[in-house]
Amino acid sequence: MTQHFSYQDDTLNIDGISLKELAIEYGTPLYVYSKKALVENFRQYADTCKRFESDKIHSLVCYSVKSNSNLAILNILGQEGAGFDIVSGGELQRVIAAGCDPRKVIFSGVGKTANEIGLALKHDIHCFNIESFAELHRINQVAQEMGKQARVSFRVNPNVDPKTHPYISTGLKENKFGIPYEEALACYKAAASMTNIDVTGIDCHIGSQLLDDAPLLEALDKLLHLVDQLSEEGITLKHIDIGGGIGITYDDEKPVAISDYLTRLFTRVENWRKQKHPDQSIGLMFEPGRSISGNAGLLLTQVQYLKTNSDKNFAIVDAAMNDLMRPSLYEAWHKVLPVSNRKGEATSYDIVGPVCESGDWLAKQRELVIQADDILAIMSAGAYGMAMASNYNTRGRAAEVLVDNGNAYLIRRRETPEELFALESVLP
Ligand SMILES: *Cc1c(COP(=O)(O)O)cnc(C)c1O
């Protein structure tokens, strides 16, 4: 638990506001975020970047929009100076709707459509992170039709093992992401000869929930080696983007401190630059998602029924896999805390939702003292929580509240059932 969430008189608070009162006022299921936590997490990146800033080294922290894309969150991070890493045209439109600068956007993802590329060019985004040769051709073609230059980087697959869950590991050879390391040189040469392509960078993203930065530094070394090879070919890159992926504490994990990781990274790049390219300036970019939004939010849910089947106890709650998919998708572990502490003997419960799937569970075998109607907090749910929510079982998605300086703000209201089928029609 971070310092933003603490018990006062046996009631769980977020930045001094009672979560019980928020549950009563806004209903459940309810996502609750701390602006303070969000900003602190972002500044861990931004402050270290500032320390290393010089006329030869600059940097941009591009928040990964897919981890939590609420407009209020994008707006806050934009005001903090963040750029944005997007994976769809829809996310670009969110960034713009949140009042943020599209020229600080980088566009990742393996399947960009011609429409999405056109939209991104129209808004003059910072860079496309290209994931295949075919995509390079398409971007060149769209740019040509629009009479524009597209700034591009190649997402290179450095083939390092991030030692994380296979579903969130992306930098190994057998994975769909990026272009193989061995083919990078050929892609860059082809790109350099294209009329509407401006080759500006190189990037990678090797996985998520990394606790150790050694695989990231290994990936960096591989990228630096490619940058050297490219410069021998007369291709000079302006930036290196090392992706996101730093993990957070869900249970008792001890992820590397962001300032330590960035310090090691900047030091390595600065030594390399002085030794090999003393006259050149270089930009460093980052794409963190989870490490900024993950521990800035939680999900409140109310116990509906307690139930025992043979010797198993279930707490059936009003949140489900459609609200928080991580447990069913990755068997992810989230801490579960009662919002009001009760005295008594704890019982082991599986916390499950009302959705008609056996995979609909939020937590298993948790020792809790609870009764029906109690409110539970599913912790560390700020990243890949609401962003992955669906309307399965015609369930309206949870509302979202952001706490700032002693006030709570509704940043997304609950959906009504009518809204869930408003776009549908019966045959005439
Ligand atoms: C998801 C993603 C990120 C963010 O990853 P985190 O583990 O949340 O930091 C960054 N870059 C790319 C390309 C991604 O797909």
Side-chain angles (χ1 to χ4, degrees):
M1 198 157 45
T2 69
Q3 76 270 28
H4 298 283
F5 309 98
S6 62
Y7 282 99
Q8 284 164 26
D9 304 325
D10 277 335
T11 302
L12 192 60
N13 279 252
I14 175 167
D15 289 334
I17 290 191
S18 155
L19 285 167
K20 188 173 174 201
E21 279 167 28
L22 291 183
I24 291 167
E25 181 169 355
Y26 297 99
T28 50
L30 181 71
Y31 276 100
V32 185
Y33 309 110
S34 155
K35 176 178 170 184
K36 207 156 165 250
L38 188 74
V39 168
E40 270 173 26
N41 293 343
F42 178 76
R43 287 187 186 165
Q44 290 204 27
Y45 283 92
D47 291 351
T48 314
C49 286
K50 247 176 243 142
R51 271 207 289 125
F52 284 91
E53 197 89 12
S54 72
D55 59 338
K56 289 282 194 276
I57 294 235
H58 52 103
S59 51
L60 184 63
V61 182
C62 293
Y63 169 68
S64 172
V65 172
K66 77 175 191 285
S67 70
N68 187 324
S69 56
N70 185 289
L71 295 191
I73 287 182
L74 301 183
N75 174 267
I76 288 166
L77 293 172
Q79 287 184 39
E80 285 289 309
F84 298 93
D85 174 38
I86 60 161
V87 291
S88 72
E91 286 190 348
L92 175 57
Q93 282 168 306
R94 273 186 180 275
V95 168
I96 295 166
C100 304
D101 186 356
R103 287 167 306 174
K104 283 186 176 177
V105 162
I106 49 180
F107 195 167
S108 303
V110 294
K112 302 173 194 79
T113 65
N115 279 342
E116 290 176 315
I117 293 164
L119 183 74
L121 282 171
K122 182 177 147 214
H123 290 286
D124 197 25
I125 66 160
H126 189 74
C127 188
F128 291 91
N129 286 354
I130 296 186
E131 303 220 15
S132 66
F133 204 59
E135 186 191 332
L136 169 67
H137 281 281
R138 184 180 267 180
I139 291 176
N140 185 48
Q141 194 184 344
V142 177
Q144 199 164 22
E145 283 161 14
M146 295 173 71
K148 299 229 178 199
Q149 289 289 112
R151 286 176 291 274
V152 307
S153 157
F154 283 99
R155 176 171 179 176
V156 173
N157 189 332
N159 195 26
V160 300
D161 185 356
K163 300 184 175 64
T164 183
H165 190 287
Y167 279 22
I168 48 178
S169 151
T170 52
L172 277 170
K173 264 205 252 200
E174 60 264 30
N175 224 276
K176 74 172 173 183
F177 298 103
I179 55 169
Y181 191 80
E182 300 72 27
E183 290 169 29
L185 215 50
C187 282
Y188 273 99
K189 282 192 200 164
S193 72
M194 289 182 172
T195 49
N196 295 75
I197 294 287
D198 182 7
V199 179
T200 61
I202 188 165
D203 65 283
C204 69
H205 172 71
I206 61 171
S208 203
Q209 185 55 15
L210 273 69
L211 300 176
D212 182 10
D213 60 358
L216 288 159
L217 296 171
E218 190 187 331
L220 172 71
D221 286 344
K222 291 200 164 177
L223 294 193
L224 294 180
H225 182 65
L226 263 180
V227 176
D228 289 338
Q229 285 181 287
L230 288 167
S231 97
E232 278 165 27
E233 302 282 342
I235 300 171
T236 309
L237 299 187
K238 297 198 184 92
H239 77 256
I240 300 167
D241 171 357
I242 198 73
I246 294 292
I248 61 169
T249 304
Y250 286 99
D251 183 7
D252 55 5
E253 303 92 332
K254 297 215 164 34
V256 58
I258 288 158
S259 57
D260 291 347
Y261 158 52
L262 290 198
T263 299
R264 281 191 275 272
L265 195 117
F266 272 103
T267 307
R268 230 179 246 222
V269 170
E270 187 55 353
N271 288 340
W272 162 83
R273 193 194 62 76
K274 279 186 186 144
Q275 206 182 8
K276 299 250 178 85
H277 312 273
D279 304 322
Q280 216 177 300
S281 77
I282 193 90
L284 272 180
M285 313 231 300
F286 305 92
E287 305 170 354
R290 188 191 312 269
S291 53
I292 291 178
S293 56
N295 265 327
L298 52 79
L299 173 62
L300 292 181
T301 183
Q302 186 177 40
V303 178
Q304 301 300 304
Y305 303 102
L306 297 179
K307 170 171 174 174
T308 304
N309 275 359
S310 60
D311 57 354
K312 231 175 158 46
N313 301 308
F314 295 96
I316 301 167
V317 299
D318 65 359
M321 63 187 287
N322 74 297
D323 299 300
L324 179 63
M325 201 159 111
R326 300 188 66 256
S328 357
L329 189 59
Y330 318 118
E331 301 195 331
W333 192 97
H334 286 264
K335 187 175 287 182
V336 177
L337 296 173
V339 162
S340 302
N341 268 331
R342 290 182 182 281
K343 304 247 169 341
E345 207 173 312
T347 306
S348 175
Y349 291 100
D350 283 7
I351 316 292
V352 301
V355 163
C356 302
E357 300 276 351
S358 293
D360 181 27
W361 56 275
L362 298 173
K364 287 185 173 168
Q365 293 178 4
R366 302 305 171 84
E367 298 287 326
L368 293 165
V369 187
I370 49 173
Q371 294 176 6
D373 296 342
D374 281 4
I375 309 289
L376 302 178
I378 317 287
M379 306 302 289
S380 312
Y384 307 109
M386 185 61 177
M388 284 179 143
S390 79
N391 293 121
Y392 189 38
N393 280 206
T394 307
R395 290 169 49 83
R397 278 171 289 182
E400 293 177 289
V401 162
L402 189 129
V403 168
D404 176 25
N405 202 15
N407 295 307
Y409 300 90
L410 185 65
I411 59 170
R412 183 185 162 103
R413 69 163 171 78
R414 203 170 292 286
E415 289 165 330
T416 65
E418 292 74 20
E419 284 172 324
L420 302 187
F421 47 77
L423 305 180
E424 299 165 28
S425 47
V426 298
L427 295 185

